[in-house]
């Protein structure tokens, strides 16, 4: 009951007009102080608004988005395994969880209290030294439970070797967001890959109508998007997640005439971002480094 009151009090003010757009959805999720993946939220939001044929969502839609982010079944199973009433974790139940699942062997009582004070969002529950499911998932989703090394979240390798000396985060059939035979081609595939830090994108190019090259999975029923639009999206998102070079892997099936159009779009849209000549010495003996 407390959990529902807490959640509703936070979101009802945002929905005073009845519906909210994507930007307001993102702000509300940030206010709820839950870690989330921008691309995943955008994908779920898009599925909902496409179904409704609108660009806004209602309060029930938001609750559905929230649940897809935080209410993972494995979290629920863990919580129920240690909570006697499946609603609240008492401090002794949290201590048992820390000992058996997190392998905390020292000062468990102190650690449990610190976790409750840090992650429990409901004041009444926090005062009783207990943890709600909302607090539990905040803890499990936090940096304290991450197995990823913090010092590896920034570039820690030597990036001055030749480009071909590195494993490059690459995307295959980047434009496809479903299956490879009849699914849709979508610009979201490119923005999504780049926001995840991808540094190599595939663009399958074919002759289109009105002398405009198109991108799709050739000889299939996948939908088609304009090559020009793909390059515009790449220009916008290329360096949001990383400053390192982006490789465009062009699978080129276009006629010479439309290849010229492709070249024009690359030069006109990307401008100075496009590497069109060698770097430094005129005699090149190896690829440049990522730096």
């Amino acid at each position: 009951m407390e959990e529902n009151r807490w959640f509703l009090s936070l979101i009802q003010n945002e929905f005073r007009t009845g519906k909210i757009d994507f930007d307001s959805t993102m702000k509300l999720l940030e206010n709820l102080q839950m870690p989330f993946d921008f691309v995943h939220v955008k994908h779920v939001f898009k599925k909902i608004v496409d179904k409704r044929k609108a660009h806004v969502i209602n309060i029930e839609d938001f609750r559905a988005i929230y649940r897809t982010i935080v209410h993972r079944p494995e979290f629920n199973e863990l919580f129920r395994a240690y909570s006697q009433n499946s609603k609240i974790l008492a401090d002794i139940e949290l201590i048992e969880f820390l000992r058996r699942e997190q392998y905390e062997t020292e000062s468990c009582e102190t650690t449990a209290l610190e976790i409750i004070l840090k992650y429990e969002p409901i004041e009444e529950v926090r005062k009783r030294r207990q943890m709600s499911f909302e607090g539990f998932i905040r803890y499990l989703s936090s940096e304290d439970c991450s197995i990823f090394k913090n010092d590896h979240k920034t570039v820690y390798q030597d990036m001055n070797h030749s480009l071909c000396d590195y494993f490059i985060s690459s995307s295959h059939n980047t434009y496809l967001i479903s299956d490879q035979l009849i699914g849709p081609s979508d610009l979201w595939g490119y923005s999504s890959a780049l926001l995840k830090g991808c540094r190599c994108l595939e663009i399958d190019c074919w002759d289109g109508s009105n002398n405009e090259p198109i991108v799709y999975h050739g000889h299939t029923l996948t939908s088609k998007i304009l090559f020009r639009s793909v390059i515009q999206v790449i220009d916008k998102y290329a360096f949001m997640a990383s400053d390192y070079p982006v490789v465009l892997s062009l699978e080129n099936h276009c006629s010479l005439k439309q290849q010229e159009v492709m070249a024009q779009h690359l030069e006109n849209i990307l401008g100075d971002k496009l590497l069109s000549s060698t770097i430094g010495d005129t005699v090149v003996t190896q690829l440049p480094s990522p730096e």
Side-chain angles (χ1 to χ4, degrees):
M1 193 71 175
E2 290 166 341
E3 189 172 343
N4 288 335
R5 284 202 303 266
W6 167 81
F7 186 82
L8 288 172
S9 66
L10 281 175
I11 67 175
Q12 279 177 336
N13 185 54
E14 196 68 42
F15 280 92
R16 55 188 178 276
T17 59
K19 296 181 179 180
I20 61 174
D21 60 13
F22 178 71
D23 289 338
S24 297
T25 299
M26 298 300 292
K27 288 178 183 176
L28 185 50
L29 287 171
E30 289 170 1
N31 290 338
L32 289 169
Q33 298 179 340
M34 270 303 304
F36 60 87
D37 180 80
F38 172 86
V39 174
H40 177 58
V41 174
K42 187 173 182 179
H43 177 65
V44 177
F45 185 92
K46 187 175 185 299
K47 285 181 69 175
I48 291 174
V49 296
D50 285 352
K51 186 177 180 180
R52 295 192 181 283
K53 296 182 179 179
H55 67 282
V56 291
I57 60 171
N58 59 33
I59 194 167
E60 287 307 313
D61 294 331
F62 178 80
R63 296 181 78 162
I65 291 174
Y66 181 79
R67 285 193 294 270
T68 65
I69 299 169
V70 300
H71 288 198
R72 288 161 48 181
E74 65 270 30
F75 286 1
N76 197 34
E77 288 173 16
L78 270 175
F79 187 80
R80 289 176 177 274
Y82 288 91
S83 170
Q84 286 190 358
N85 60 11
S86 299
K87 295 178 181 178
I88 293 292
L89 273 180
D91 53 357
I92 56 172
E93 293 168 340
L94 179 58
I95 289 169
E96 183 66 11
F97 166 80
L98 292 173
R99 283 183 176 146
R100 294 180 60 182
E101 304 290 346
Q102 305 294 71
Y103 298 102
E104 293 277 357
T105 56
E106 298 179 3
S107 304
C108 261
E109 292 83 356
T110 303
T111 304
L113 180 58
E114 289 173 350
I115 289 171
I116 289 170
L117 293 176
K118 186 175 181 180
Y119 293 108
E120 176 51 53
I122 306 172
E123 187 177 357
E124 294 87 344
V125 178
R126 194 167 59 243
K127 285 179 179 178
R128 295 197 300 265
R129 296 192 174 190
Q130 296 174 334
M131 179 167 267
S132 66
F133 182 59
E134 293 293 333
F136 187 67
I137 58 179
R138 275 167 169 71
Y139 167 58
L140 290 186
S141 303
S142 72
E143 294 287 333
D144 289 340
C145 289
S146 175
I147 62 172
F148 195 87
K149 293 181 180 179
N150 279 329
D151 56 355
H152 286 189
K153 289 187 176 180
T154 56
V155 177
Y156 62 95
Q157 303 97 335
D158 180 1
M159 302 300 284
N160 291 293
H161 296 286
S162 175
L163 196 63
C164 57
D165 288 348
Y166 298 89
F167 288 105
I168 299 175
S169 178
S170 302
S171 170
H172 178 62
N173 288 351
T174 313
Y175 48 90
L176 293 179
I177 59 172
S178 185
D179 66 83
Q180 300 190 69
L181 295 177
I182 60 174
S185 302
D186 200 295
L187 296 172
W188 181 79
Y190 288 94
S191 58
S192 170
L194 288 167
L195 288 170
K196 291 174 182 174
C198 191
R199 297 291 89 189
C200 180
L201 310 174
E202 184 177 32
I203 312 176
D204 290 352
C205 310
W206 299 79
D207 282 351
S209 58
N210 302 318
N211 202 34
E212 280 290 348
I214 53 174
V215 175
Y216 84 112
H217 203 208
H219 309 299
T220 69
L221 297 176
T222 57
S223 62
K224 302 171 177 65
I225 51 180
L226 289 175
F227 175 80
R228 180 183 68 238
S229 299
V230 169
I231 303 306
Q232 287 171 339
V233 168
I234 291 171
D235 177 60
K236 181 177 180 180
Y237 290 97
F239 303 108
M240 282 191 175
S242 172
D243 291 330
Y244 287 108
V246 175
V247 178
L248 302 185
S249 175
L250 300 176
E251 185 177 303
N252 198 343
H253 301 272
C254 289
S255 62
L256 288 174
K257 186 178 180 181
Q258 294 211 15
Q259 286 185 42
E260 290 178 356
V261 176
M262 288 171 57
Q264 290 169 7
H265 288 329
L266 287 166
E267 291 177 340
N268 294 338
I269 295 169
L270 298 177
D272 293 340
K273 294 176 184 175
L274 182 66
L275 182 63
S276 54
S277 61
T278 57
I279 297 174
D281 297 335
T282 53
V283 179
V284 177
T285 57
Q286 66 177 28
L287 289 173
S289 74
E291 287 295 346

